[in-house]
Amino acid sequence: MKKIRFFIVLIYLISFLPNTTLSQAFESSSVPKDTLVSRKLYIHTDRDQYFLGDTIWYKAYYLDGQSNKFVPGLISMYVDVINEAGQSVLDLVVPIDNGAADGAIDLPGFMEPGNYMLRAFTDIQKQIGEDAFFYKQVIISKLESFVEGADPPDPVLAQDINVAFLPEGGMLLEGHVNTLGIKAIDSNGQGITVQGEIHNSRGEAVAAFTTSYKGMALAQLSPKKGETYSASVQGYPEYSYIFDDVVAAGIKLEFEKATTNDLHFRVVTNAESLLRRTYYFALSHHGEVLFHKKFVPKDKSF
């Protein structure tokens, strides 16, 4: 009988705790304060622009900022869609199970088109303050018919695209065949399909590329000493990219291949002065070193 009375009293006390939920009590119990403060919430949406009546599909992640690992347990996440006046027009509570959650937010047709803020937080983050919340801007538009006289959307202009050229290993080595990762996006940050070429100072094409999935592509470039290079994109005559970061003497890491049990890398350099020195190779995951090895390269490809 005493046990039953104790249980009833416990429920009574919890129910009257101000701004407290069971998930908050669970999350904060036996967890150091520094760990709670470091927890980060992130929501990935299927896109950034929607029409009235669309559905926002999302995936949420709740991570420990110190270890980058998922926060264990069942925790409530509060999600709001806020209009430009700062008013919450949609809200929902979503359970995060062991650091992850997914779901959908239906956008009703009565909403006003405009810029909206997607806001999300947990009970602990609410205690910390709004600086700990997750925010993401989304654009919600009204779908209009061209038959009704709406003007067609403007074509993407040259200044509205951005093409990034990302050399493997972080640098372009002079006299070496470098692999370039290429990413093309429009003004909305969406990957787009483009075709382009890389030219030398005489206007000769030395490489070509076509982006596909999410605006990505690969190309190879072997810069020569004293030569300059630039990239152009078909259909965008005003766009130009200058490769002004060619390294005359450098050393970098490149990925070679993957097998069932191994990952193979190589170290390459274009300078004799960088050989026969001591270097360290390390692999880490979430701050934990998985593999490390000291080596001394004797050849330009090691």
Side-chain angles (χ1 to χ4, degrees), residues 224-237:
K224 295 182 180 180
K225 184 177 181 179
E227 185 61 275
T228 58
Y229 299 88
S230 63
S232 62
V233 177
Q234 294 182 20
Y236 303 92

Side-chain angles (χ1 to χ4, degrees), residues 67 124 134:
S67 65
I124 290 298
F134 170 82

Side-chain angles (χ1 to χ4, degrees), residues 99-207:
D102 53 52
I105 303 173
D106 294 325
L107 302 175
F110 61 78
M111 293 176 63
E112 291 292 330
N115 296 318
Y116 286 81
M117 187 68 69
L118 188 66
R119 181 181 69 181
F121 57 92
T122 65
D123 287 299
I124 290 298
Q125 291 176 318
K126 185 177 181 180
Q127 286 188 354
I128 296 171
E130 293 189 358
D131 289 342
F133 292 6
F134 170 82
Y135 297 94
K136 177 183 177 69
Q137 182 176 333
V138 294
I139 300 173
I140 301 176
S141 306
K142 181 179 179 182
L143 184 61
E144 299 182 5
S145 170
F146 298 133
V147 178
E148 298 174 355
D151 295 329
D154 294 331
V156 178
L157 303 177
Q159 60 267 29
D160 292 331
I161 71 165
N162 180 50
V163 183
F165 296 87
L166 310 169
E168 183 180 16
M171 66 181 73
L172 277 174
L173 290 182
E174 181 182 280
H176 175 70
V177 179
N178 300 267
T179 298
L180 289 171
I182 302 170
K183 174 74 172 180
I185 59 174
D186 61 17
S187 58
N188 299 317
Q190 303 297 313
I192 55 175
T193 299
V194 297
Q195 291 182 320
E197 291 182 337
I198 300 174
H199 303 87
N200 59 22
S201 59
R202 297 181 296 279
E204 300 170 338
V206 296

Side-chain angles (χ1 to χ4, degrees), residues 26-267:
F26 174 81
E27 184 180 4
S28 60
S29 62
S30 70
V31 179
K33 183 177 179 181
D34 291 344
T35 301
L36 292 174
V37 172
S38 71
R39 291 182 173 179
K40 303 298 180 184
L41 185 63
Y42 178 77
I43 295 182
H44 174 74
T45 59
D46 58 333
R47 58 187 193 272
D48 299 326
Q49 289 187 312
Y50 300 88
F51 291 104
L52 296 177
D54 275 354
T55 298
I56 299 177
W57 297 95
Y58 67 85
K59 180 80 173 181
Y61 306 94
Y62 194 36
L63 303 174
D64 184 331
Q66 296 177 338
S67 65
N68 286 329
K69 295 180 179 180
F70 289 117
V71 175
L74 188 63
I75 298 166
S76 295
M77 174 179 68
Y78 305 90
V79 182
D80 292 304
V81 178
I82 302 172
N83 62 18
E84 295 179 8
Q87 301 169 330
S88 177
V89 296
L90 295 172
D91 62 85
L92 61 155
V93 182
V94 180
I96 300 178
D97 188 8
N98 290 319
D102 53 52
I105 303 173
D106 294 325
L107 302 175
F110 61 78
M111 293 176 63
E112 291 292 330
N115 296 318
Y116 286 81
M117 187 68 69
L118 188 66
R119 181 181 69 181
F121 57 92
T122 65
D123 287 299
I124 290 298
Q125 291 176 318
K126 185 177 181 180
Q127 286 188 354
I128 296 171
E130 293 189 358
D131 289 342
F133 292 6
F134 170 82
Y135 297 94
K136 177 183 177 69
Q137 182 176 333
V138 294
I139 300 173
I140 301 176
S141 306
K142 181 179 179 182
L143 184 61
E144 299 182 5
S145 170
F146 298 133
V147 178
E148 298 174 355
D151 295 329
D154 294 331
V156 178
L157 303 177
Q159 60 267 29
D160 292 331
I161 71 165
N162 180 50
V163 183
F165 296 87
L166 310 169
E168 183 180 16
M171 66 181 73
L172 277 174
L173 290 182
E174 181 182 280
H176 175 70
V177 179
N178 300 267
T179 298
L180 289 171
I182 302 170
K183 174 74 172 180
I185 59 174
D186 61 17
S187 58
N188 299 317
Q190 303 297 313
I192 55 175
T193 299
V194 297
Q195 291 182 320
E197 291 182 337
I198 300 174
H199 303 87
N200 59 22
S201 59
R202 297 181 296 279
E204 300 170 338
V206 296
F209 59 89
T210 300
T211 61
S212 53
Y213 176 69
K214 293 190 176 181
M216 296 185 291
L218 291 176
Q220 291 186 323
L221 177 62
S222 180
K224 295 182 180 180
K225 184 177 181 179
E227 185 61 275
T228 58
Y229 299 88
S230 63
S232 62
V233 177
Q234 294 182 20
Y236 303 92
E238 297 181 10
Y239 177 84
S240 179
Y241 179 88
I242 307 299
F243 292 90
D244 55 2
D245 52 355
V246 177
V247 178
I251 186 169
K252 67 176 182 176
L253 185 70
E254 293 181 341
F255 176 72
E256 192 170 50
K257 65 178 180 179
T259 62
T260 303
N261 298 314
D262 300 294
L263 297 174
H264 295 258
F265 297 88
R266 60 174 172 264
V267 177

